[in-house]
Each structure stands twice: as structure tokens, then as C-alpha cells.
Amino acid sequence: MAIKEFKLPDVGEGVAEGELVTWHVAPGDTVEEDQVVAEVETDKALVDVPSPYNGTVSELRAEEGEMVPVGDVIITFEVEGEGEEDTAESSDGEQVTADDAGDGDDAGDAADESAEETTDTAETERTSGRVFASPSVRRLARELGVDIGSVSGSGPSGRVTESDVQAAADSGSDGDDADSGGPRSVSFSGKSAVSKRGDAGNGEVASGSASADAAGREKTLAAPATRRIADEEGVNIDDVPASEERDGEAFVTPEAVREYAQAQREAQAADAKALSEEADAGEVAAESGSESEPETASEPAASGPAAGERVPYRGVRRAIGDQMERSKYTAPHVTHHDDVDVTDLVELREDLKPLAEEQGVSLTYMPFVMKAVVAALKEFPYVNAQLDEENEEIVLRDEYNVGVAAATDVGLMVPVVRGVDGKGLSDLARDMNEKVEKARERKISREEMQGGTFTITNIGGIGGEYATPIINYPEVAILALGAIKEKPRVVDGDVVPRKVLTLSLSVDHRVVDGAVAAQFTNKVKEYLANPKLLMLE
């Protein structure tokens, strides 16, 4: 038996810590690889933490509610068959003998020199790291003939999903793309963050074949102590630029490993900074207490803090607050209010609901609004734009990715439905419903909340009519929907009851003028008042 420690993974994207929300295991419990042992909340999402081993829980090193820095040990396992006589498995999946594992960093140059003779033929085949995947996913990979070790996971903590395996099988690459890059990093958001290699500032390397084979070599000569340093730094030694060449093969020194690891960290930090604006904007919503389903009111949380308590301001709630502050104090907001007679839309939806239900789709008003919005965006491209302040340019987007604000127990999230202009009502409803449900369950990935070009939020679900929603920055506009109510309207000289929907459009006045906002709203009204026009879109 051997004791294995498991550290809170490096989530990347600027996340340095997470709150341990719930333990699903206790000391003495038997666990299998990939079994969920805990839930951890970062300022990005609530995610499952899977066990990397088959074994028995030895000790829980963190308490529920505790903020744990990335890299701290949170749990230990007793693992069979991995004692002193057995091989010790390193963090990136390489196998080293017990004797090798005993070589410490103090060996230094002496170990390197001895390795020149004793490890001339020591080679390491490139590995893609420990694979997190459920038994059903592994079975699917076997059935499709896919090497699961080469598939880049898109699920929580880098877990490989069925869709990842299917995509690898469909492409016929068997995940070759994953092997062509640097080492995989684990991300709670479900995004496998791959750091830059070779040209990311690795320091000087020798000329010749050693430097030419710096990325993803099949053979690497290195001392055991050097391999241990690579394990501790979490890098694949085959990706480290070689500083020497011995017997025609690349030879890697400890200094080269450390320089490469540092270059990776710097590259990750640079990438995270460059993407932070879009990423933050895609994860949190504009201000309002809405749900994505217009006819369904937001239910209060089943349990929560009581009056008089002090609630920590962190996690997703703080991310929402930071985004709202940034948006409000960056983009000068102007809100245009109007209403529209949607009596015909109500009747059309009632006619189509049974047909949608036969297809297993719940048809709300939101897909109709999304289609109307996109039709109007095509005529008023400045409303579907983004201000590039650094380059002093207004970017008119040619994509129509609509975010739909969804209320969760920790605040608003904005799942993004991509390519709205190319989807029918049923497909829109299905896509939106699935993503909203995932958001409410806190299982939605980071990518599914990024890349939006326009946002819709519904205050009518909880009884509101008008609002002044905050823009989902760096977008330049957001539309709030009020409740559909029966109100008196004049039709052909007679006052009759009609179904009326209220609209509140907030725009970034640096990009969108008030007149354009009014014209855009009028076009949305035209499509909602005459919903049959949407059938042509």
C-alpha cells in the first residue's frame, strides 16, 4: 500500500484558489478512478473534482467552506500495488522505478554525469497525461477505435466526454491534435488550457537536431533527477527544448526543464490576460433578476442565509459584481423603452407548441424574440458590435451569437446560443433549454458562456415590465423583456384588449446613438407584431 496525495489542480485562466463546497467521500471510503470526491467553487463555476486513483480515502486535508489555494493537498488515498518495490506513478503519467524516484535534486551535476553512461539508451515515449474519463466513455473509445489517451478533454477538470471521443472518431485524427501541442493542463471550467511551447521564451538551446526536435520528441535522454524535476514542474520532458545532444539524441538538463516550465507559466499568464475581457463578459450577465423562460417565474432558493448573517462576497457572486461595475463605469448606458402588441405572436406560439412537444421541445417566447433580434441586427450592425478601444476601432460582428440571461442560485449566468441566424425555432429552443438547464445546475462550461454578440434578459418571468439592464460588456447592447400582459389598445377605432410586451434596450452610447437604438427597437417590434415574417428568416 502507498499513500498518494492529490492537490487542487492548477485551473489556469487567472484562478488561484477555490472554495471546497462539499465532500462526497469520507476517510475509509473506497473510490474508483474518475469518481467524484468533492465539489469546488471558483469565481468561474461549480465543478466536480474526480479521483485520480482506485483506492481508499486516507485523509481529507480541507474542510467544507474552506478556501484552498491551487496546489495545496486536499485529499490523500491509500493505493494498492504501489509500494516501495513497485513503480511510483508521476503526476503526468510517466513511470519511473523506485530507485529512480529516490534520486533527489541534490544529485545535481553528479547525477547528470552518471546518467551519461547509465541512461544513454533511456528514452521516454510521449504521454498525454492521466486521462479522466468515465467507464462508459472509455468503452465508447474502444468501440470507435479511438486512443483515449490522445483525446483532449473538454469536460470539468479536463475530463474526456463522449462528445470529445465522437469528435475524434469523426475527424479520423484520434486526437492527434492533442498530441501535437504541449502538455495538457487541467481547468475546472472544462477548457483544456494548453500552454505555449518552443517559441514561448524558453531560453537558449543548442543548434542542430536537438533544438529542431524541441516540441513533442519521441525520444529524450535525461537523468532520473531531471525527469523528477519535470514531474514536479508538471511538464512533459519530450517538449522541453534540448540544451545538448548526445549520441545523436536530444539531451535535456535540469536548467532547461526549469526554464521551460517558467516560460509556460508566463505564456499562460499572458494568454489569460489577453482573453480576460471576453471571458469575463461571457460568464456573467447584465443586471436584472430574470429567467430565460418568459412565462416561468424565478423560484427563490430552497435554503440560504438568514437575516442578520454575513455572506462572503466571493466566487461567482463577486465575478458578477466585478463585471457589472466594469460595464457600468466603462460604457455610458442609455436605455430606450417601448412596447409592442404581440397578440398574433401569442396565438402563433399556442399553435406551434403541440408540434414542438411532439419533437420533445418546450417552445417558449424566447426563440421568437431571438429570431426577431437577429433579423434587426442584420439591418443595424452597430448594435451587433464591439468597441476595440486599444486600436480605436468599432468591430462590426458578422456572427449572431445571442446570450440568454439565466437565474441561478448564485446569480445570473449567460449561456450563449451560437449561430442563431442559421437555426429554426425548434433548434433554437432545444439549444437554449439545454444550456440554461446546465447553467442552473452549475454544469455549464466556460466556452458555452463566451463569444456572445448580443444579450437578452427576461424580467417578465418575475412580474416586471420595464428595466434599465446593464450591458454584458464588451457587447454594446442588451434587451430586457417585460411580462406579456393584456392591455387596452385601439384597433380600427375601437378599444380592445390586446397582449402587450414591454421592451427595454440599453446601449453603449459610445457606439450606438439614441436614434439607432429606437430604429432597432422598431424593427424588433415589427417582427414580433407580425411573427409570420420570422418564418422567412
Side-chain angles (χ1 to χ4, degrees), residues 285-290 324 328 412 457 459 467-472 478 480:
E287 180 187 62
S288 82
S290 72
M324 295 301 98
K328 190 65 176 178
L412 288 177
T457 182
I459 62 171
T468 54
I470 294 179
I471 296 165
N472 193 10
I478 178 173

Side-chain angles (χ1 to χ4, degrees), residues 341-408:
D341 184 337
V342 292
T343 303
D344 291 344
L345 173 60
V346 172
E347 293 176 354
L348 177 61
R349 174 178 171 267
E350 287 301 317
D351 292 339
L352 295 179
K353 276 183 65 177
L355 299 177
E357 290 172 356
E358 291 178 2
Q359 301 177 24
V361 177
S362 175
L363 183 62
T364 68
Y365 291 106
M366 188 62 74
F368 294 93
V369 177
M370 294 167 71
K371 295 292 286 185
V373 162
V374 168
L377 289 174
K378 290 180 178 180
E379 296 192 36
F380 299 93
Y382 276 86
V383 186
N384 194 55
Q386 180 176 332
L387 180 60
D388 185 345
E389 298 178 62
E390 182 176 352
N391 295 313
E392 298 183 345
E393 294 176 338
I394 298 174
V395 182
L396 305 180
R397 303 291 297 272
D398 57 358
E399 300 173 296
Y400 300 94
N401 304 329
V402 179
V404 180
T408 73

Side-chain angles (χ1 to χ4, degrees), residues 422-457:
K423 295 180 179 178
L425 290 173
S426 295
D427 290 337
L428 280 179
R430 184 180 294 106
D431 193 352
M432 181 196 70
N433 293 342
E434 289 177 356
K435 289 182 177 178
V436 166
E437 187 63 27
K438 289 169 69 176
R440 289 174 180 160
E441 294 177 355
R442 306 288 305 283
K443 301 300 182 183
I444 193 166
S445 69
R446 185 184 188 89
E447 290 81 0
E448 291 174 303
M449 296 190 293
Q450 291 181 342
T453 63
F454 187 94
T455 296
I456 302 174
T457 182

